[in-house]
Amino acid sequence: MKTKLLFVCLAALLAGLMTLHALHLDVLFWQNWKLNRQVMPEQAFNLGRYRADIEGLAVDGIDDDLSALTYNPESNTLFAVLNGRPLLIELSLEGELIRQILVEGVSDMEGFTHVAGDLYVVAEERTQRLILTRLADDQQTLDLSEAPSLTIGLDSGGNKGFEGLSWDDEGRRLLVVKERDPLRLLTVEGFVDALAGQRMNIAIRETGMADSPALFMNDLSSLTMHSPTGHMLLLSDESHMVVEYDASGEPLSLLGLWRGMSGLKQTVPQAEGLAVDDAGRVYVVSEPNLFYRFVPAK
């Protein structure tokens, strides 16, 4: 009798989970339809037309903890981080490993962004610390022990701290996302001036409200600012989507990361990094070590 009761309870639980999953997909498809049927500005990405041309490629030489992503237009390569053993890795636009850089003086790296030349910014999740650094083309180790840094320390910190980072070249500011509890999108001005020998005149602001209906995602995993258009892409791991926002903060289009959407054969398991190259191609990395590229359908 107990075995039968347990079976019935498990069956009910499974049915409930399947219903929730179906409801989530219904909402996602509805949001996708609603956003992508809008008349798009000429410069919009219009993510609804994007399809995966590289799906779930396991990055050779990387086993786990692949996170963050940034594009360097000068080298025409991508950079990501590993937050277990602290490493920066450089990738080709096809997801091939070019080099690994061992990082010292840092813990729990979750964000990384290219600014200009050899200048980058690292974000630590738990400490909510931003770190300025330079990285040479042939460098194999990087010591951040004495690097200029800024600790912000919002809310409770912990494992729901800074999750993504992007440089806005047009606005000369950093954009930082806090994962959740609550979701936050911050702008940080003045910090990058430190390595230029200028006086740091720091200004930190929150863009929008944590409960804004425009942020219809469960968490924020990463972001990228596309300075030529002024549009921003936000990535949510839990909601399995990338959303494009215009300069005023209005959502324009959506890239679904569920199986059956955006040309995907399988759902992206744990999306942690997002970048866009000069050709407008969208890149996503997912734990443990997966690489994705999305291109506009012809």
Side-chain angles (χ1 to χ4, degrees):
M1 182 66 181
K2 288 183 179 180
T3 302
K4 183 177 180 181
L5 180 59
L6 178 62
F7 176 79
V8 171
C9 290
L10 287 174
L13 177 61
L14 180 60
L17 290 174
M18 292 178 66
T19 300
L20 286 174
H21 179 72
L23 287 172
H24 185 94
L25 282 179
D26 285 347
V27 170
L28 179 58
F29 276 101
W30 180 80
Q31 288 282 12
N32 187 56
W33 176 83
K34 182 176 72 170
L35 289 181
N36 293 332
R37 73 187 293 269
Q38 298 180 117
V39 177
M40 296 288 168
E42 185 177 347
Q43 74 274 24
F45 282 90
N46 190 6
L47 294 173
R49 65 197 176 101
Y50 276 65
R51 296 294 179 266
D53 76 332
I54 299 178
E55 178 179 352
L57 174 68
V59 178
D60 189 34
I62 302 300
D63 296 325
D64 201 0
D65 291 324
L66 185 60
S67 184
L69 200 60
T70 189
Y71 172 68
N72 182 334
E74 297 169 42
S75 63
N76 198 34
T77 59
L78 299 158
F79 288 83
V81 307
L82 274 68
N83 58 13
R85 184 188 182 205
L87 292 173
L88 294 173
I89 64 169
E90 185 175 9
L91 301 168
S92 75
L93 302 187
E94 286 71 43
E96 299 165 335
L97 182 65
I98 297 172
R99 64 169 164 157
Q100 301 183 39
I101 303 107
L102 179 63
V103 185
E104 300 173 348
V106 70
S107 63
D108 199 23
M109 288 191 299
E110 280 290 349
F112 190 64
T113 189
H114 175 253
V115 177
D118 63 353
L119 183 59
Y120 296 81
V121 180
V122 176
E124 292 179 327
E125 180 174 15
R126 293 177 185 274
T127 62
Q128 299 184 16
R129 184 166 69 120
L130 305 176
I131 308 167
L132 278 167
T133 187
R134 294 194 182 278
L135 180 65
D137 291 342
D138 58 352
Q139 200 161 340
Q140 299 299 317
T141 62
L142 181 64
D143 188 354
L144 299 179
S145 301
E146 303 298 325
S149 66
L150 172 69
T151 301
I152 297 178
L154 281 173
D155 308 311
S156 60
N159 200 36
K160 298 295 182 286
F162 289 169
E163 192 74 12
L165 186 64
S166 184
W167 173 248
D168 174 12
D169 194 56
E170 187 70 24
R172 301 295 301 170
R173 59 184 183 167
L174 284 167
L175 299 175
V176 186
V177 290
K178 183 176 178 295
E179 184 177 6
R180 58 183 172 87
D181 303 330
L183 306 177
R184 292 193 189 279
L185 173 59
L186 306 176
T187 63
V188 180
E189 299 176 22
F191 175 56
V192 169
D193 297 333
L195 280 189
Q198 301 178 27
R199 182 179 177 181
M200 284 196 298
N201 185 17
I202 304 294
I204 302 171
R205 300 180 178 87
E206 183 166 8
T207 300
M209 299 297 292
D211 59 352
S212 167
L215 291 175
F216 49 82
M217 293 168 279
N218 293 336
D219 73 335
L220 296 175
S221 301
S222 188
L223 81 163
T224 189
M225 184 70 188
H226 190 245
S227 294
T229 62
H231 290 192
M232 177 177 61
L233 305 184
L234 283 177
L235 169 67
S236 172
D237 158 37
E238 293 183 10
S239 298
H240 293 88
M241 64 175 74
V242 177
V243 181
E244 175 189 9
Y245 293 84
D246 65 16
S248 66
E250 290 299 315
L252 289 179
S253 67
L254 184 151
L255 179 74
L257 302 180
W258 288 94
R259 180 181 64 185
M261 301 187 72
S262 311
L264 291 168
K265 296 182 178 67
Q266 298 293 331
T267 299
V268 178
Q270 189 173 341
E272 295 284 347
L274 174 70
V276 175
D277 69 13
D278 281 345
R281 293 175 292 192
V282 175
Y283 300 84
V284 172
V285 291
S286 170
E287 291 193 17
N289 62 347
L290 303 179
F291 179 91
Y292 298 79
R293 185 174 70 188
F294 298 86
V295 299
K298 295 179 181 180

